[in-house]
């Protein structure tokens, strides 16, 4: 079967590589069909690439090619990826993608278009890179009421935090290495400010609970405020700081979803997830906690998931997959600061007695080189709004959520 690839960056070139290098096993997985790259769409020139005859700058070459029935969209971004994908789906071609920004922002419209034309729109690579999570969540855990999901969903930030914690490397140096390794987004602020993790939270929440959650509904905070001092206090408390996406079921009409740095105690399965690895913990009422772990970014791991979707499309040309969700609503994602209770880590310029006069039950932390006018502590469980009320007038340096996953 002929397959086109739109976007020949890290992931797109990985898709071509995996299809070509695995040409022996692919027919065994597709029911005998081989995969052949028909076009590679990219505006850049690749004069020395062995696929030079396959390159085009004209999207219509793919749209109008009747033999190309499956297209991998690895361009990233909303435009022109949305227009191209919509036209392909309406033309009855199946599209597979690693583009989490597009799925999170416009997934509902694209899924509806796929539904109408009988094509597939698959996006296993959009969350967790090479980790299988979309199918397990929709199929293997289908018998559960999902109570919550917590995930380390961004490889770049997990890599940066690991390098800072374990090697004392500076933030900028660690980011540079992540970019060189092909982990980071084109604009790495999407990684470090949490937007990439936010998009993945939207996709997971939409799949788990059936209603579209949009990025602007998910309060998002990145890792730029995390200091080595915070890392040290948390280490002494028996935990680590991770950038976590959290989703909590409240009712069929309400969920909470947010992205932020979070304290994870060492007993958690999420605490040992290092480097570029991601992990997604799903809490189901019947199964309990299950964790999906693996490489969350990078050329071949992400291509592994994209090509798996291509194989699925090739194998099931007549069968429509059923991953999808319905419309969301403005008040579907609640204000977690008002509704969700948890403990918090606080670092402040204050005295222990000042803190004790405001908080009933705190656990003070210490670190090497702690200044005499600095306190750090873990609070009892409360909402974030309540925490901020209690801290009013205190010279707070940082607060971090403590997770119960
Ligand atoms: N920039 C992303 C990350 C790529 O670092 O996780 C995979 O989505």
């Amino acid at each position: 079967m002929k397959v086109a690839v739109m976007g020949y960056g890290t992931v797109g070139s990985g898709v071509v590589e995996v299809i070509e290098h695995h040409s022996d096993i692919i027919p065994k997985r597709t029911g005998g069909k081989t995969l052949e790259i028909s076009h590679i769409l990219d505006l850049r020139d690749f004069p020395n690439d062995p696929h030079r005859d396959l390159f085009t700058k004209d999207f219509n070459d793919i749209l109008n090619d009747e033999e190309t029935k499956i297209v991998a969209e690895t361009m990233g971004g909303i435009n022109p990826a949305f227009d191209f994908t919509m036209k392909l789906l309406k033309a009855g071609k199946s599209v597979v993608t690693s583009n989490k920004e597009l799925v999170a922002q416009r997934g509902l419209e694209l899924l509806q278009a796929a539904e109408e034309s009988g094509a597939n729109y698959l996006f296993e690579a959009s969350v967790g890179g090479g980790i299988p999570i979309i199918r397990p969540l929709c199929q293997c855990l289908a018998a559960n009421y999902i109570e919550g999901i917590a995930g380390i969903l961004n490889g770049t930030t997990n890599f940066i935090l690991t390098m800072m914690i374990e090697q004392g490397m500076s933030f900028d140096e660690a980011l540079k290495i992540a970019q060189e390794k092909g982990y980071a987004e084109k604009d790495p602020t999407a990684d470090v400010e949490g937007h990439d993790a936010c998009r993945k939270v939207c996709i997971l929440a939409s799949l788990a609970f059936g209603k579209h959650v949009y990025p602007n509904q998910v309060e998002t905070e990145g890792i730029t405020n995390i200091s080595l001092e915070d890392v040290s206090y948390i280490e002494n408390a028996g935990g680590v700081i991770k950038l976590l996406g959290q989703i909590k079921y409240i009712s069929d009409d309400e969920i909470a979803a947010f992205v932020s740095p979070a304290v994870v105690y060492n007993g958690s399965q999420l605490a040992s997830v290092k480097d570029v690895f991601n992990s997604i913990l799903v809490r189901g009422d019947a199964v309990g906690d299950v964790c999906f772990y693996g490489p969350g970014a990078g050329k071949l791991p992400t291509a592994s998931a994209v090509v798996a979707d291509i194989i699925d499309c090739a194998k099931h040309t007549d069968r429509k997959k059923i991953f999808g969700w319905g419309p969301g609503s403005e008040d579907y994602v609640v204000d977690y600061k008002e509704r969700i209770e948890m403990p918090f880590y606080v670092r402040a310029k204050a005295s222990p007695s000042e803190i004790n006069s405001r908080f009933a039950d705190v656990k003070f932390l210490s670190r090497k080189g702690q200044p005499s006018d600095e306190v750090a502590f873990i609070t009892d469980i409360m909402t974030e709004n309540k925490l901020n009320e209690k801290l009013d007038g205190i010279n707070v340096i940082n607060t971090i959520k403590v997770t119960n996953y």
Side-chain angles (χ1 to χ4, degrees):
M1 292 191 77
K2 297 207 169 172
V3 179
V5 176
M6 303 196 299
Y8 197 60
T10 305
V11 181
S13 60
V15 168
V16 173
E17 185 177 327
V18 170
I19 287 179
E20 291 183 347
H21 289 190
H22 296 179
S23 58
D24 54 341
I25 56 162
I26 286 174
K28 295 178 187 157
R29 314 274 162 83
T30 57
K33 295 167 197 157
T34 55
L35 298 180
E36 183 193 338
I37 306 293
S38 57
H39 307 275
I40 302 173
L41 179 72
D42 204 297
L43 292 179
R44 296 166 293 181
D45 291 314
F46 298 87
N48 300 319
D49 192 281
H51 307 92
R52 68 183 79 80
D53 296 342
L54 301 178
F55 282 99
T56 178
K57 295 183 189 336
D58 184 357
F59 164 70
N60 289 315
D61 287 345
I62 297 173
L63 184 64
N64 298 330
D65 178 358
E66 292 200 350
E67 288 184 19
T68 297
K69 299 226 163 14
I70 305 169
V71 180
E73 186 269 293
T74 50
M75 310 168 69
I78 302 292
N79 286 312
F82 175 79
D83 287 341
F84 290 176
T85 303
M86 188 56 103
K87 283 183 178 147
L88 291 165
L89 292 172
K90 284 189 170 166
K93 298 184 195 294
S94 287
V95 179
V96 308
T97 189
S98 56
N99 186 344
K100 51 263 163 175
E101 186 177 3
L102 182 59
V103 179
Q105 197 70 256
R106 310 290 299 265
L108 179 65
E109 296 153 78
L110 294 169
L111 286 161
Q112 284 170 344
E115 186 73 42
E116 280 161 23
S117 74
N120 282 313
Y121 185 50
L122 302 182
F123 42 90
E124 184 66 64
S126 67
V127 180
I131 305 173
I133 178 63
I134 304 295
R135 282 169 184 74
L137 184 59
C138 295
Q139 296 181 329
C140 314
L141 296 174
N144 287 263
Y145 290 103
I146 303 296
E147 295 172 358
I149 299 174
I152 295 169
L153 297 166
N154 182 267
T156 301
T157 46
N158 205 43
F159 181 83
I160 293 171
L161 287 172
T162 307
M163 291 298 128
M164 286 172 74
I165 294 167
E166 296 196 345
Q167 299 192 18
M169 198 180 273
S170 75
F171 182 95
D172 290 339
E173 203 181 338
L175 173 59
K176 192 164 167 275
I177 298 174
Q179 285 177 298
E180 283 164 6
K181 287 177 178 276
Y183 302 155
E185 296 299 296
K186 270 185 221 156
D187 174 3
T189 48
D191 296 295
V192 299
E193 298 295 356
H195 304 306
D196 177 74
C198 165
R199 293 164 189 154
K200 293 163 180 169
V201 159
C202 293
I203 297 169
L204 292 174
S206 303
L207 278 171
F209 303 116
K211 294 183 186 177
H212 197 124
V213 173
Y214 292 92
N216 67 1
Q217 295 180 289
V218 177
E219 185 136 341
T220 296
E221 181 191 335
I223 61 164
T224 49
N225 284 337
I226 302 300
S227 69
L228 289 175
E229 287 80 9
D230 298 316
V231 167
S232 179
Y233 280 119
I234 300 300
E235 196 177 0
N236 287 340
V240 284
I241 301 171
K242 295 288 182 191
L243 182 69
L244 276 199
Q246 299 191 60
I247 305 162
K248 290 178 193 290
Y249 174 85
I250 298 172
S251 73
D252 286 352
D253 301 318
E254 287 184 329
I255 64 161
F258 46 96
V259 173
S260 70
V263 174
V264 181
Y265 286 116
N266 290 334
S268 165
Q269 299 187 75
L270 296 174
S272 57
V273 178
K274 294 181 183 177
D275 299 325
V276 72
F277 288 91
N278 282 190
S279 185
I280 300 130
L281 186 154
V282 182
R283 185 164 286 173
D285 71 314
V287 71
D289 286 357
V290 285
C291 236
F292 302 87
Y293 170 85
K299 179 175 175 170
L300 294 180
T302 312
S304 158
V306 175
V307 177
D309 277 347
I310 294 173
I311 290 172
D312 214 348
C313 292
K315 189 172 182 184
H316 303 116
T317 42
D318 303 329
R319 186 155 65 84
K320 180 79 183 64
K321 302 295 290 185
I322 45 158
F323 306 136
W325 52 78
S329 61
E330 223 168 86
D331 51 0
Y332 176 53
V333 182
V334 303
D335 176 5
Y336 82 87
K337 290 183 179 172
E338 186 60 42
R339 301 283 296 276
I340 303 294
E341 292 189 320
M342 64 189 116
F344 291 87
Y345 158 88
V346 180
R347 179 157 73 101
K349 290 283 177 203
S351 66
S353 58
E354 232 177 324
I355 298 305
N356 280 327
S357 69
R358 292 167 181 243
F359 291 88
D361 188 12
V362 298
K363 180 180 170 225
F364 285 101
L365 309 177
S366 64
R367 70 172 169 97
K368 214 170 149 195
Q370 179 176 356
S372 57
D373 61 346
E374 180 177 291
V375 286
F377 56 96
I378 305 282
T379 70
D380 194 359
I381 67 161
M382 61 189 70
T383 64
E384 194 159 329
N385 283 350
K386 190 81 193 162
L387 174 80
N388 290 333
E389 259 172 48
K390 284 178 180 281
L391 290 173
D392 188 34
I394 297 268
N395 185 358
V396 175
I397 304 170
N398 205 359
T399 64
I400 304 176
K401 299 170 183 56
V402 178
T403 184
N404 66 346
Y405 286 100

